[in-house]
Amino acid sequence: MTTSQIAQSTTTFPGSARVEMVMGRPVSVDIRTALPARELTPLLDDAFAWLRWVDDTFDPARDDSQIARLNRGGTIEQVPELIEVLHRCEELSEATGGWFEPRIDGVIDPSGYLKGWALERLSRALANAGAGDHRITVGNDIRVRGSSAPGRRWRVGIRDPRTGTVRKVVFAHDLGVATSGGSSVVDPHTGQVVDGLGSVTVIGPDLGMADGYATAIYAMGAVRGRRFAGELARAGAYETMILARDGQEVVTPGFLDYSGKGARLAG
C-alpha cells in the first residue's frame, strides 16, 4: 500500500477513503457521506494536515516539537491545543487516582491520551463540515460517526493486540473505541513497564478519554483495573472489556449493548 491512497468506497454508499502514514503508522480516514469530489478531497487533505500538525507539535521525540521544548525548559508557543491536552491529562490523572500520568521522571509525554484526542477532534471537525458519516482508524484507536451505509451502523472488530485475533465486534453510529496493550504501558508509580494483562478496551463518547482510561486500567492490573472499570461504567458513559493474559475476558454490562454476550464484571 502506498503512503497516500484515495479509493472509492467498496459499498454502494458514496464517499472516499484515504490512508497515509502519520505518527509512524497507517492512518485511515473513511468518509461515507455523499459529497462531491470537489468537497471530499479538500476535507481529506485538511484531515491529514491536522494529524501531521499534531504529530509535529506533540511528539516528544522531535527536537523541535512543543513538548520537547517544554521538557527542555525552553520557550514554547502559546498553542491553545497544547494547553487543552495538558489540562485534559491532568483531569485524567485525577480521575484515575494517578494511574494515568503524562509526566514520568519529569518528562512530559501525553501519548496515552493524544492519539485519541486528535481523532476525536478530527471527527468533530468532519461532522461540522458536513461529512457526518465516517470512520477514523489509527492502530487500535477507532472513531466512528454516522452510518457505514444507509441505515447501517459501523461494525468495529476489537482485536487482541498481541495476536491480531478479533475478540469482539461492536456496532455503533457514534462511538470511540480505544485498546491499550499493543505497546509499552508504564506503571506511573514505579516507572516500570507493566505486562500483567492481555489488553484493555474502553468504548465511549469521547475517544481521547477512552484512550486515557484504557491506558490507566491496563497500568492498574487485573484486580484494581476491574474495580475501576466497574466504577467507570456505573458513572454512565464508558464501558470496558479486559482481556487477561490467559485469554479470558470480562466486560462491563453496558458493553453488551454494543456487542454479543460475554462475562460481566462483578458489581
Side-chain angles (χ1 to χ4, degrees):
M1 181 178 293
T2 60
T3 58
S4 179
Q5 177 181 351
I6 301 177
Q8 285 302 115
S9 168
T10 58
T11 72
T12 58
F13 208 46
S16 291
R18 183 185 295 183
V19 179
E20 291 190 13
M21 292 295 294
V22 186
M23 306 178 186
R25 65 188 67 197
V27 178
S28 169
V29 180
D30 185 353
I31 298 174
R32 299 289 179 89
T33 304
L35 294 172
R38 66 177 182 275
E39 295 182 26
L40 282 170
T41 299
L43 275 178
L44 289 168
D45 289 343
D46 290 346
F48 284 96
W50 156 252
L51 294 173
R52 284 190 291 271
W53 179 86
V54 170
D55 195 25
D56 291 342
T57 302
F58 290 94
D59 186 354
R62 293 175 179 264
D63 289 339
D64 59 345
S65 75
Q66 296 303 305
I67 289 294
R69 292 179 184 179
L70 188 61
N71 282 328
R72 293 196 302 266
T75 302
I76 62 172
E77 299 175 8
Q78 295 299 313
V79 181
E81 291 84 356
L82 177 61
I83 297 172
E84 177 185 347
V85 166
L86 295 178
H87 177 65
R88 296 300 182 195
C89 285
E90 290 177 2
E91 290 182 338
L92 275 164
S93 179
E94 182 177 355
T96 61
W99 284 99
F100 178 93
E101 180 53 62
R103 186 190 297 269
I104 304 293
D105 295 331
V107 177
I108 299 172
D109 182 359
S111 58
Y113 170 73
L114 181 68
K115 183 153 48 71
W117 168 82
L119 269 60
E120 183 66 33
R121 286 283 299 264
L122 175 55
S123 177
R124 294 176 188 175
L126 289 174
N128 290 337
D133 306 288
H134 59 258
R135 169 175 171 152
I136 312 169
T137 305
V138 183
N140 295 315
D141 282 0
I142 302 165
R143 186 61 166 93
V144 297
R145 195 183 294 268
S147 301
S148 63
R152 184 180 302 169
R153 293 176 295 172
W154 289 95
R155 180 183 186 277
V156 180
I158 299 175
R159 296 182 180 274
D160 181 337
R162 298 173 185 269
T163 67
T165 304
V166 175
R167 297 301 303 252
K168 199 170 292 296
V169 177
V170 298
F171 299 87
H173 288 294
D174 187 357
L175 193 68
V177 181
T179 299
S180 182
S183 57
S184 299
V185 176
V186 173
D187 180 337
H189 301 96
T190 66
Q192 301 297 312
V193 174
V194 294
D195 198 28
L197 293 172
S199 66
V200 175
T201 298
V202 177
I203 61 177
D206 186 294
L207 181 57
M209 298 300 290
D211 205 1
Y213 285 137
T215 301
I217 293 171
Y218 190 92
M220 290 176 188
V223 176
R224 188 180 285 110
R226 290 179 64 173
R227 185 185 310 120
F228 181 82
E231 295 171 355
L232 191 63
R234 286 190 289 274
Y238 295 89
E239 304 292 341
T240 303
M241 178 178 76
I242 297 176
L243 181 64
R245 292 296 298 271
D246 63 4
Q248 296 296 311
E249 64 182 49
V250 289
V251 298
T252 52
F255 207 103
L256 303 180
D257 294 339
Y258 297 91
S259 185
K261 296 180 180 179
R264 295 176 180 236
L265 286 172

